[in-house]
Amino acid sequence: MSRRISVVTAVHAPAAHHLADAYKSLLEQQLPEGWDWQWVIQEDGETDEVAPHVPDDDPRVSFAQGRPGRAGMARTLGLSRAAGEYVKVLDADDMLTPGALARDLAALTVNPSLGWATSRVLDLLPDGSTVGFDQDPPNGPIERGAVLKHWQAHDFRAQVHPATLFARRDLVLALGGWMALPASEDTGLLLALSAVSRGWFTEETGLLYRKWPGQVTSHPSHAEAEERAARMAVVEARAAALEALDGWRFGTA
């Protein structure tokens, strides 16, 4: 039986039509011999609008629904079906670039002391053009706690993108999965992982991050000041508390 990478996708009805592009990007992935992926799709809700967009002829794909609770809860519910040694985030409206999974896998198998990996991301705009990020770190390891320090110093913006996250499944479970927040739940997990383990950044583009009017982060409520401050406060407090637990670390420096 192949060793597996569990690609976890939370989806709600407005984004369901993008699943076809996400699936196409998975089909283009080439992994080392003995490895394969499974795609765990979890609907944030119980509608009839998502299932028609889920591939029904690929045994590597599973689909389930649950009560609506935002993306963090959907992804964490999806972990119940994640059988792989590693978990890869793939939002329903995004696309992996060719080779992304293999590069993530190589980073963690070659460096067993690392707990997670991320990669360069390009924003995919509605006109088909792309825009990069001007604060990417160097290709290579990211030291424990470095993401939190950068995030604190740059108006709560990390130098690596949580939508590209690839992590050891047991470590994700030990940290409780994604945070129970209406947004920034992926940043919360990224900072928690960084607080307890070293990570990796790949300078090659690993994700096309689609920008479109229906995405959750484009809604005005995402930037509402009071809620944003509360989200950032609890994300920061969790990461700082984990960082302070010197006996709770993954791997070695």
Side-chain angles (χ1 to χ4, degrees):
M1 181 180 295
S2 296
R3 300 170 72 181
R4 281 183 284 182
I5 298 167
S6 296
V7 180
V8 177
T9 296
V11 60
H12 68 328
H17 64 288
H18 290 304
L19 286 173
D21 286 340
Y23 182 53
K24 182 176 182 292
S25 77
L26 273 173
L27 293 177
E28 293 173 348
Q29 300 300 306
Q30 295 186 354
L31 291 170
E33 185 176 356
W35 284 90
D36 202 354
W37 51 261
Q38 68 164 149
W39 194 17
V40 176
I41 304 172
Q42 182 73 34
E43 182 181 353
D44 179 32
E46 299 172 298
T47 73
D48 297 324
E49 300 175 51
V50 174
H53 299 277
V54 175
D56 59 4
D57 57 353
D58 190 333
R60 296 172 296 179
V61 179
S62 69
F63 171 69
Q65 299 173 301
R67 289 180 289 170
R70 313 289 282 194
M73 191 173 85
R75 291 194 199 100
T76 302
L77 278 174
L79 283 177
S80 65
R81 293 176 284 121
E85 298 171 45
Y86 300 96
V87 170
K88 173 68 173 179
V89 174
L90 177 59
D91 288 346
D93 48 2
D94 294 342
M95 291 167 283
L96 300 176
T97 63
L101 286 185
R103 291 189 292 269
D104 288 340
L105 181 64
L108 267 60
T109 53
V110 171
N111 302 278
S113 68
L114 304 182
W116 54 276
T118 55
S119 60
R120 177 169 168 76
V121 62
L122 293 178
D123 287 346
L124 176 62
L125 305 182
D127 64 2
S129 62
T130 58
V131 177
F133 180 55
D134 62 1
Q135 295 181 37
D136 287 337
N139 189 81
I142 299 176
E143 295 305 314
R144 178 175 176 260
V147 179
L148 175 61
K149 291 181 177 63
H150 186 281
W151 181 83
Q152 290 170 321
H154 293 83
D155 191 30
F156 308 127
R157 187 172 188 183
Q159 73 273 49
V160 294
H161 204 302
T164 69
L165 185 64
F166 181 96
R168 299 184 185 276
R169 176 177 171 270
D170 56 356
L171 194 51
V172 172
L173 288 170
L175 292 169
W178 289 265
M179 294 188 74
L181 294 171
S184 308
E185 76 294 329
D186 51 356
T187 298
L189 176 57
L190 171 65
L191 292 185
L193 286 163
S194 176
V196 301
S197 68
R198 298 167 71 228
W200 184 270
F201 178 75
T202 298
E203 63 183 358
E204 293 181 67
T205 300
L207 187 76
L208 296 177
Y209 182 84
R210 191 191 303 270
K211 294 283 191 176
W212 61 289
Q215 68 187 143
V216 173
T217 53
S218 70
H219 195 276
S221 62
H222 184 74
E224 194 278 321
E226 185 174 352
E227 184 196 279
R228 181 176 186 268
R231 296 198 317 263
M232 299 306 106
V234 72
V235 165
E236 182 176 29
R238 181 199 195 194
L242 286 166
E243 197 171 43
L245 297 175
D246 288 338
W248 208 104
R249 299 188 186 190
F250 176 87
T252 56

